[in-house]
Amino acid sequence: MIAAAALPGGVARAASSGLELRGEATLRTAIEIEDGDVQLGELLVEPELSGEVTPEISWTVIGRLRIDAADELEPGDPGPQDGFRSPVNRRLFIGDTTDLELREAYADIYAGQWFVRAGKQQVVWGQADGLRVLDQVNPLSFREFIMGDFEDRRIPLWMVNAERSFGGVTAQFLWIPDHSYDEVPADGTYAVTSPLLRPQIRPQPGQAVRFAEADRPDRLIVDDDYGVRLTGFSDGWDWSVNALYAYGDGQVLRQARTPQAVTVTPDYERTLLTGGSVSNAFGKATVRAEIGYVTDRFVLTNDPQDTDGIFETGEASGVIGLDYQVDADLLVSGQVFAGVLTDDAPGLVRDQVTGTASLLVRQEFLNDTVEVEGLLLQSLNQGDGLVQLGATYKLTDAVTLAAGADVFYGNRQGLFGQFGEADRVTLAVTYGF
């Protein structure tokens, strides 16, 4: 999380035309604590080029070059990862260790009372930090599970994002024709093994297990995602009301059994997410809350009477957080997340009510040149969790050094505990240009 430290890079004017070039280059490594194996040996370069066409129209393009010499996170041919993304949103792989990606490319247009951002971009909804209730517009990369900033893990999508103010309320409209979804490695250090997410198939003697190609939505307009958000400020409270009509970003792993084989066919299902968020500051304390309801949640089940291993239900979820700024340099933040399935059934692999708690402590030293941070994520059901520790040091205006550790603990069947052998320490140096 903290190893890939952000660094405000300087801005270099490429020419008198108004073009601006900036970016970061990060050299990062991760060493596994248990056996000393190199988990990550990465060079990440992210240039950003921007300019203006007219005072009302500007544009931005952000690229990414990644070279990971360790090749443990997406080992071998990473081509199968393409299956999670639409044809217009895929990385270009060069061998097993290198990939190129157009991260973002959009135009900002001011037209009367309207602001429109059109192109490949990220859209952030909600007030939660690290736990997602409403922040569901962009899918995520799970290449390093949940380690890393959301900004780096979100997969930008091609979309039209239009906003207009009506008095004290701002309305946002999203049209997303990019059918890309969560990117989950099939192999490697953070390949999912938990029965909460992956069906545990026990074939009969002579019965094969097959994984079919994912059935992905691909029809323009009909399969596109659409979102609306209203935001405002009333009596000291920032608030939002959100609705997202979209395909869920996670695969639904349906099973079909014959005497010869068990075939798992991943597909994606349409859902409607509705909800809202509020936040307010009271002196040194800030209160944040989100609630949401998803009409269709697809949960794995081990019920032998279930024909496809999937149980469909709705889910209400919410998160409440409290940030306390102890002084100018010390921040303490806590959150509690809860999800409740509206229906229950025998054999479900998850509890009807689930919870996760988080605690973040961040301290700055030496005129903000040194930052030390600790984050605890604790499952309230399986008892497993993740501890992340990190420190950054701004060596110069352009160079930041970082070190950190990610330690999983608890039930090896849990979301966090499944990666109990992947504990690691990280080192990084970032140069901003």
Side-chain angles (χ1 to χ4, degrees), residues 15-99:
S16 59
S17 62
L19 293 179
E20 292 184 345
L21 175 65
R22 72 181 78 191
E24 291 181 352
T26 300
L27 191 62
R28 191 163 68 112
T29 187
I31 310 295
E32 294 189 352
I33 295 173
E34 185 170 299
D35 52 21
D37 288 348
V38 178
Q39 185 186 106
L40 181 73
E42 182 181 80
L43 171 63
L44 196 69
V45 182
E46 295 184 311
E48 176 181 334
L49 185 64
S50 60
E52 284 187 359
V53 179
T54 70
E56 292 78 25
I57 302 175
S58 61
W59 56 270
T60 300
V61 176
I62 303 173
R64 172 182 284 176
L65 164 67
R66 174 191 284 127
I67 302 173
D68 181 4
D71 195 28
E72 294 293 331
L73 303 184
E74 297 171 299
D77 178 10
Q81 302 299 330
D82 280 350
F84 296 106
R85 299 199 188 194
S86 69
V88 296
N89 196 354
R90 292 178 177 171
R91 292 178 283 166
L92 173 63
F93 296 104
I94 304 172
D96 294 346
T97 61
T98 303
D99 66 81

Side-chain angles (χ1 to χ4, degrees), residues 138-268:
N138 291 88
L140 297 175
S141 169
F142 289 87
R143 185 174 185 269
E144 295 182 61
F145 187 42
I146 62 170
M147 277 84 78
D149 296 333
F150 268 126
E151 184 176 356
D152 295 325
R153 295 181 53 225
R154 287 192 193 93
I155 299 173
L157 298 176
W158 294 96
M159 70 175 83
V160 176
N161 172 6
E163 296 184 15
R164 189 187 192 285
S165 294
F166 299 90
V169 177
T170 299
Q172 180 186 46
F173 305 93
L174 303 177
W175 170 42
I176 310 171
D178 187 341
H179 308 145
S180 297
Y181 306 102
D182 285 347
E183 202 169 52
V184 183
D187 298 304
T189 304
Y190 297 106
V192 171
T193 59
S194 169
L196 296 173
L197 299 174
R198 186 178 178 85
Q200 309 297 297
I201 300 172
R202 297 178 176 82
Q204 300 297 319
Q207 197 176 36
V209 177
R210 299 168 181 158
F211 285 84
E213 187 175 344
D215 183 10
R216 302 175 71 263
D218 58 4
R219 298 171 297 176
L220 187 65
I221 305 298
V222 175
D223 288 336
D224 296 348
D225 296 345
Y226 303 90
V228 177
R229 181 180 69 164
L230 303 178
T231 57
F233 181 79
S234 303
D235 298 325
W237 291 87
D238 288 306
W239 57 265
S240 75
V241 178
N242 307 59
L244 182 66
Y245 182 61
Y247 278 87
D249 288 324
Q251 291 183 334
V252 179
L253 302 174
R254 298 187 190 281
Q255 302 174 38
R257 292 179 177 270
T258 67
Q260 293 75 33
V262 180
T263 302
V264 180
T265 303
D267 65 8
Y268 297 89

Side-chain angles (χ1 to χ4, degrees), residues 355-425:
T356 304
S358 72
L359 177 64
L360 169 72
V361 179
R362 179 183 298 141
Q363 174 76 57
E364 295 178 338
F365 303 94
L366 303 176
N367 296 320
D368 301 339
T369 58
V370 176
E371 181 179 284
V372 178
E373 182 176 295
L375 173 66
L376 168 68
L377 288 169
Q378 171 71 48
S379 167
L380 303 180
N381 294 78
Q382 280 73 42
D384 56 334
L386 169 64
V387 176
Q388 296 183 284
L389 303 172
T392 61
Y393 172 54
K394 290 183 179 179
L395 183 64
T396 70
D397 288 342
V399 178
T400 297
L401 308 178
D406 304 305
V407 179
F408 299 91
Y409 63 89
N411 187 344
R412 295 299 177 96
Q413 305 295 307
L415 292 176
F416 303 103
Q418 65 180 319
F419 300 118
E421 297 179 358
D423 298 346
R424 65 182 190 176
V425 294

